[in-house]
């Protein structure tokens, strides 16, 4: 372990995340983890890490980070105008940073969350099998909180790595451009009338400013319950579209509680979690119901892109068949 | 019993409607059996009031196969599935600044505060599930005479150890948090200690039973605050 990064400015919300804290939900422990698993995993691969290594998740306004020693870095996800020593830094490809260099971020052009991976991975203690930060319960990351000015972030030491790996799959583009959340209907669709289920897929919904890592809240045509607006509490997976009494859907995300008591009209498909994680307040989207089979086909192509969508590993591969 | 999908990566096994100790025990038993099978395709197992939700990797196991696997597991009725439940005694200072809603709960039910305390300490509760935050026990069933609905506007800050009532449920906040349950008292016990090892990090587990008893403010401050299991 070695001190690698000094936080000069924390940005709006920068947290250490990995793929989440599974296995302890039965004790009420939230999963947390990267909001956009796709960008997180690609960033790790670009610097030669295991996909489960911890990265920095930077929200809307990125941080300013001084590197204390040389490092291999990759930035993926939202376009937050990264700059290395004031010069535009590349995204979706690995590059070398020298000790003393400052990586900063500017205007957010697209998306909501960028991921910064460093070769070796961020080194913070593993708490309940994960390094992910859950700020609400102060678990994981750096003292269970988001980064603050003056923090020193360490990384695991790994040998040098090729610095030219580049992600070329069009999925990176598609995720930031998508304005559709595809979902599997149910299991509590019987709590809503047919008209409401149609409205839900016809109307446009706007991302509310009250959205955060727990859930993305939407504003639009209110959905009507035809029975009770409460169910006996049960588990709520990532992507659960729950509808409280006011009829405005909330899509639960990484920092959600483990259980919930509102009817679930549907659950966003796994392959669209990255789309959800990149939405920002004001974005307008539509919900579209698909079958499990379709959802798994899409997931398969995303997984293929994550493992093979790089210019170095297989330059001849055609990865544009989305 | 029915099994249904929740999105593309989880299956829920539901044992019945409503809140019932036997139904809840079946859910807890299945969760325990699945944990013992330790299947690599299963990512997490979450028992709740009347269901168990199984999170899985859909690219590693077909949902129909998993569904059959769940049915088989239920039919196995593995030895020692039950019997791990523990009993807990939970000391509580009732009323005053420790339980700011005690009087309201009493008034709502047309009884005295002492009577609320007597009923709350005289009932053996079951921990139906943990949720909301690490170590938060959802306990029931609260006798009708001391039930009270959630606050219409939740408090932004509740102290760790606060004991609350929400309808037929009673529970304890393991850490400072916002919350809408009516607070009738506070325990000095630590419910969740992330510094402990994983086996003793959480005081309660689903299926445990729990009895409250009344202590004084002096007892509260003198309490040796450690996880006593």
């Amino acid at each position: 372990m070695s001190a690698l990064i000094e936080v000069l400015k924390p940005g709006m919300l920068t947290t250490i995340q990995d793929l989440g804290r599974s296995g302890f939900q039965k004790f009420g422990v939230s999963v947390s983890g990267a909001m956009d698993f796709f960008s997180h995993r690609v960033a790790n691969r670009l610097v030669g890490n295991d996909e489960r290594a911890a990265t920095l998740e930077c929200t809307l306004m990125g941080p300013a980070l001084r590197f204390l020693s040389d490092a291999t870095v990759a930035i993926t996800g939202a376009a937050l105008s990264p700059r290395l020593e004031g010069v535009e830094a590349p995204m979706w490809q690995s590059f070398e940073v020298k000790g003393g260099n400052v990586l900063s971020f500017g205007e957010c052009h697209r998306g909501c969350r960028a991921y910064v991976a460093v070769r070796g991975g961020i080194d913070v203690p593993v708490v309940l099998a994960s390094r992910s930060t859950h700020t609400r319960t102060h678990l994981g990351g750096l003292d269970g909180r988001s980064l603050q000015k003056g923090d020193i972030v360490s990384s695991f030491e790994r040998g040098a790595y090729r610095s030219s790996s580049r992600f070329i799959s069009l999925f990176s583009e598609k995720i930031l451009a998508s304005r559709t959340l595809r979902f599997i209907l149910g299991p509590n669709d019987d709590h809503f009338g047919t008209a409401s289920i149609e409205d839900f897929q016809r109307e446009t919904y706007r991302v509310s400013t009250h959205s955060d890592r727990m859930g993305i809240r939407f504003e639009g045509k209110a959905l009507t319950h035809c029975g009770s607006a409460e169910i006996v509490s049960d588990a709520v997976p990532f992507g659960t579209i729950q509808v409280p009494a006011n009829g405005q859907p909330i899509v639960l995300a990484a920092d959600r509680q483990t259980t919930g008591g509102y009817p679930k009209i549907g659950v966003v498909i796994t392959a669209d979690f990255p789309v959800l994680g990149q939405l920002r307040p004001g974005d307008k989207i539509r919900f579209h119901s698909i079958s499990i089979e379709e959802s798994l086909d899409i997931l398969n192509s995303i997984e293929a892109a994550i493992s093979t969508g790089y210019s170095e590993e297989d330059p001849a591969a055609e990865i544009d068949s989305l | 019993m029915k099994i249904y999908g929740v999105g593309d990566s989880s299956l829920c096994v539901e044992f019945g409607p409503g809140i019932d100790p036997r139904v809840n025990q079946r859910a807890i038993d299945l969760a325990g059996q699945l944990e013992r099978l330790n299947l690599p395709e299963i990512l997490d197992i979450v028992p709740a009031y009347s269901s168990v939700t199984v999170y899985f990797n859909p690219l590693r196991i077909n949902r129909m196969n998993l569904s059959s696997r769940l049915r088989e597991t239920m039919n196995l009725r593995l030895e020692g599935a039950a019997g791990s439940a523990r009993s807990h005694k939970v000391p509580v200072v009732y009323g005053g600044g420790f339980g700011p809603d005690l009087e309201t709960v009493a008034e709502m039910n047309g009884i005295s505060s002492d009577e609320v305390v007597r009923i709350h300490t005289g009932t053996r509760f079951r921990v139906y599930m943990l949720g909301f935050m690490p170590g938060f026990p959802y306990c029931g069933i609260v006798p009708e005479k001391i039930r009270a609905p959630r606050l219409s506007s939740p408090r932004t800050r509740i102290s760790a150890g606060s004991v609350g009532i929400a309808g037929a449920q009673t529970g304890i906040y393991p850490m400072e948090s916002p919350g809408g349950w009516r607070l009738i008292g506070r325990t000095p016990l630590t419910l969740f200690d992330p510094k402990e090892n994983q086996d003793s990090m959480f005081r309660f587990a689903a299926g445990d039973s729990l009895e409250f008893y009344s202590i004084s403010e002096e007892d509260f401050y003198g309490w040796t605050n450690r996880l006593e299991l």
Side-chain angles (χ1 to χ4, degrees):
Chain A
M1 151 173 169
S2 62
L4 181 68
I5 292 168
E6 180 191 352
V7 179
L8 303 179
K9 285 184 201 163
M12 191 172 130
L13 175 72
T14 304
T15 58
I16 295 165
Q17 300 293 342
D18 58 17
L19 290 174
R21 188 168 280 115
S22 284
F24 302 94
Q25 291 189 79
K26 67 169 179 173
F27 292 117
V29 178
S30 294
V31 177
S32 60
M35 286 285 282
D36 169 359
F37 71 79
F38 176 87
S39 299
H40 166 90
R41 289 168 62 191
V42 170
N44 271 326
R45 279 182 173 257
L46 285 169
V47 295
N49 288 347
D50 187 297
E51 292 180 355
R52 293 166 295 183
T55 64
L56 298 180
E57 182 182 275
C58 313
T59 318
L60 291 170
M61 285 169 53
L65 310 169
R66 175 187 285 135
F67 281 78
L68 306 175
S69 57
D70 296 358
T72 305
V73 174
I75 306 169
T76 60
L80 305 188
S81 315
R83 287 192 149 69
L84 186 63
E85 289 293 292
V87 178
E88 187 179 345
M91 288 196 65
W92 303 97
Q93 73 179 74
S94 54
F95 58 95
E96 298 298 319
V97 170
K98 295 287 167 213
N101 282 178
V102 173
L103 177 67
S104 59
F105 292 83
E107 200 184 335
C108 176
H109 291 294
R110 305 177 72 192
C112 186
R113 296 177 173 89
Y115 293 83
V116 180
V118 296
R119 169 104 175 125
I122 304 289
D123 180 9
V124 286
V126 171
V127 180
L128 294 171
S130 167
R131 296 189 168 84
S132 286
T133 314
H134 190 254
T135 55
R136 214 171 58 88
T137 57
H138 319 297
L139 283 183
L142 207 61
D143 302 327
R145 56 168 174 77
S146 59
L147 297 189
Q148 293 171 5
K149 184 180 173 177
D151 280 344
I152 301 291
V153 179
S154 297
S155 72
F156 292 100
E157 294 198 54
R158 299 266 315 263
Y161 189 62
R162 57 174 190 241
S163 57
S164 58
S165 187
R166 195 159 66 88
F167 187 70
I168 53 167
S169 156
L170 293 179
F171 265 110
S172 55
E173 185 59 28
K174 283 223 153 195
I175 284 165
L176 294 179
S178 174
R179 288 294 175 268
T180 304
L181 287 172
R182 291 165 289 192
F183 71 100
I184 310 291
L185 190 65
N188 308 126
D189 46 314
D190 56 344
H191 282 246
F192 304 88
T194 324
S196 257
I197 291 171
E198 280 170 14
D199 282 347
F200 182 54
Q201 299 187 63
R202 195 172 40 222
E203 302 289 327
T204 300
Y205 286 86
R206 189 170 169 276
V207 177
S208 148
T209 49
H210 300 292
S211 302
D212 56 20
R213 284 181 40 92
M214 275 181 82
I216 309 296
R217 289 167 181 267
F218 290 91
E219 293 160 346
K221 182 160 183 184
L223 304 170
T224 2
H225 300 84
C226 58
S228 164
E230 284 182 39
I231 58 167
V232 176
S233 288
D234 60 5
V236 283
F238 197 121
T240 297
I241 310 165
Q242 64 176 23
V243 184
N246 69 6
Q248 302 292 337
I250 303 170
V251 181
L252 300 179
D255 283 0
R256 71 198 181 278
Q257 295 170 16
T258 53
T259 56
Y262 296 117
K264 309 170 191 66
I265 194 170
V267 182
V268 171
I269 64 169
T270 303
D272 278 350
F273 294 172
V275 174
L276 182 73
Q278 293 298 350
L279 292 178
R280 51 172 153 167
D283 281 348
K284 291 179 179 137
I285 65 111
R286 283 189 180 196
F287 291 94
H288 175 58
S289 151
I290 66 171
S291 71
I292 297 266
E293 292 69 28
E294 287 172 284
S295 103
L296 295 185
D297 284 347
I298 303 165
L299 186 58
N300 267 311
S301 41
I302 278 221
E303 288 293 331
I306 293 173
S307 30
T308 63
Y310 307 84
S311 61
E312 252 192 6
E313 294 185 2
D314 190 0
E318 288 180 29
I319 310 149
D320 54 353
S321 56
L322 307 180
Chain B
M1 192 277 300
K2 56 180 176 178
I3 301 181
Y4 52 84
V6 186
D8 57 22
S9 315
S10 11
L11 286 178
C12 180
V13 185
E14 194 185 305
F15 290 97
I19 298 175
D20 176 280
R22 281 192 209 90
V23 168
N24 179 240
Q25 191 58 47
R26 289 185 68 190
I28 292 167
D29 287 346
L30 174 62
Q33 289 173 1
L34 289 171
E35 271 180 12
R36 243 162 290 148
L37 287 177
N38 201 16
L39 303 175
E41 306 87 356
I42 291 185
L43 306 174
D44 215 340
I45 299 160
V46 192
Y49 275 108
S50 56
S51 64
V52 180
T53 303
V54 176
Y55 294 65
F56 63 97
N57 180 340
L59 302 179
R60 291 190 62 181
I61 187 166
N62 171 290
R63 65 172 42 221
M64 298 311 287
N65 293 347
L66 180 58
S67 181
S68 332
R69 195 76 199 247
L70 294 176
R71 281 176 199 280
E72 284 164 26
T73 309
M74 263 178 288
N75 296 331
L76 282 179
R77 304 211 179 278
L78 295 184
E79 297 266 330
S84 59
R86 293 178 305 217
S87 303
H88 305 269
K89 303 250 188 238
V90 179
V92 176
V93 191
Y94 285 93
F98 291 85
D101 300 325
L102 178 64
E103 285 183 26
T104 321
V105 172
E107 278 166 28
M108 282 175 151
N109 289 287
I111 56 176
S112 68
S113 295
D114 286 350
E115 186 69 0
V116 173
V117 174
R118 199 188 59 73
I119 296 173
H120 197 254
T121 54
T123 308
R124 193 175 160 90
F125 292 104
R126 173 185 180 82
V127 178
Y128 280 85
M129 64 175 205
L130 302 187
F132 177 56
M133 55 168 43
F136 185 105
Y138 283 83
C139 308
I141 297 170
V142 171
E144 296 219 11
K145 283 181 81 171
I146 61 166
R147 288 185 191 173
R150 286 180 173 82
L151 297 171
S152 51
S153 173
R155 288 187 171 88
T156 51
R157 205 179 122 177
I158 286 176
S159 304
S162 295
V163 176
I165 286 179
Q169 309 171 109
T170 184
I172 312 168
Y173 289 85
M175 52 177 77
E176 191 178 292
S177 106
W181 291 30
R182 306 255 176 190
L183 307 181
I184 59 170
R186 194 174 161 202
T187 178
L189 295 184
T190 301
L191 270 55
F192 167 60
D193 186 352
K195 290 180 204 74
E196 287 284 334
N197 65 40
Q198 284 176 22
D199 295 334
S200 46
M201 199 176 275
F202 304 94
R203 182 175 291 272
F204 306 123
D208 287 358
S209 70
L210 197 152
E211 281 174 282
F212 296 98
Y213 65 99
S214 178
I215 60 166
S216 68
E217 217 175 299
E218 206 178 8
D219 291 339
F220 181 94
Y221 289 115
W223 206 267
T224 317
N225 203 357
R226 62 195 168 88
L227 210 54
E228 294 157 348
L229 301 164

